[in-house]
Amino acid sequence: PEIPGGVGALFWTPFTHGFLHADWMHLTFNMLWLAVFGTPIARRYGPVGFAIVFGLGLIGGVIGYMILHFNSVAVLIGASGAVSALMGGALRFMYQPLLKEVDEETGEVRILGRRLATPAELLKDQRAVGFTVVWMGVNLLFGLFPQLMGMEGANVAWEAHIAGFIAGFFAVAWLERRLF
């Protein structure tokens, strides 16, 4: 069968769908979450690291969506999978204590940042577990019971959110090994 947009669309749409949004509200929510979770990722890994996590979130979101909608002709739009990847990545260090260093000569305290937590360490952190359970739960409710969430008739790509989150969660560990 002929592919709309030609064979090339198979290569660029896993990225370009993230720059299309259903309406201004969709775009606004993605931009707000992008600011909240993209900032710590960009500060820690720089623009290239940020782009890697964002891109892997876009691809992960597409894969997650396609697993459950393989024969569907529905269109996936929005950067939610990528924004969720930034959220999953930031979760790995946002609840960790600040690492500090004291300059021996001046006594000045320098903030070094936060250590990247392992998945096992995060399972012991009630804040990280609580954040993840609530976030995953809300996404599952969007998908399984949209009427309970006041979203009846809306098509929220909750699968892309969850898959993007997982992609970002593991992508930062890969970046950490490459950069630090």
Side-chain angles (χ1 to χ4, degrees):
E2 189 173 317
I3 299 169
V7 176
L10 293 173
F11 299 101
W12 63 71
T13 56
F15 299 100
T16 58
H17 80 277
F19 299 98
L20 301 172
H21 287 79
D23 54 30
W24 287 106
M25 184 67 77
H26 186 201
L27 178 64
T28 301
F29 273 106
N30 273 339
M31 289 178 68
L32 289 171
W33 288 111
L34 174 69
V36 170
F37 293 102
T39 301
I41 295 293
R43 286 184 177 161
R44 187 175 184 105
Y45 302 111
V48 172
F50 171 88
I52 289 170
V53 175
F54 192 87
L56 289 174
L58 288 172
I59 293 169
V62 167
I63 292 169
Y65 189 80
M66 285 187 63
I67 287 171
L68 294 177
H69 301 281
F70 188 72
N71 290 322
S72 172
V73 293
V75 176
L76 179 65
I77 60 172
S80 301
V83 172
S84 296
L86 299 169
M87 186 183 298
L91 176 71
R92 296 289 298 267
F93 57 86
M94 70 185 193
Y95 291 117
Q96 297 305 302
L98 284 173
L99 300 174
K100 301 173 186 173
E101 175 182 82
V102 178
D103 187 298
E104 292 178 16
E105 291 181 19
T106 66
E108 177 186 356
V109 177
R110 282 182 264 173
I111 305 297
L112 301 176
R114 298 176 190 274
R115 191 178 57 74
L116 193 74
T118 66
E121 290 170 332
L122 288 174
L123 285 173
K124 295 175 187 173
D125 187 323
Q126 291 179 341
R127 297 168 302 169
V129 170
F131 177 88
T132 305
V133 166
V134 168
W135 188 84
M136 291 285 188
V138 167
N139 276 285
L140 288 172
L141 286 173
F142 274 137
L144 302 175
F145 306 103
Q147 64 278 11
L148 291 177
M149 303 299 289
M151 300 292 288
E152 198 164 11
N155 294 316
V156 175
W158 60 274
E159 309 90 340
H161 296 175
I162 291 173
F165 183 92
I166 293 167
F169 184 87
F170 290 106
V172 295
W174 177 80
L175 279 174
E176 200 85 8
R177 286 193 296 274
R178 299 292 179 272
L179 299 175
F180 294 102

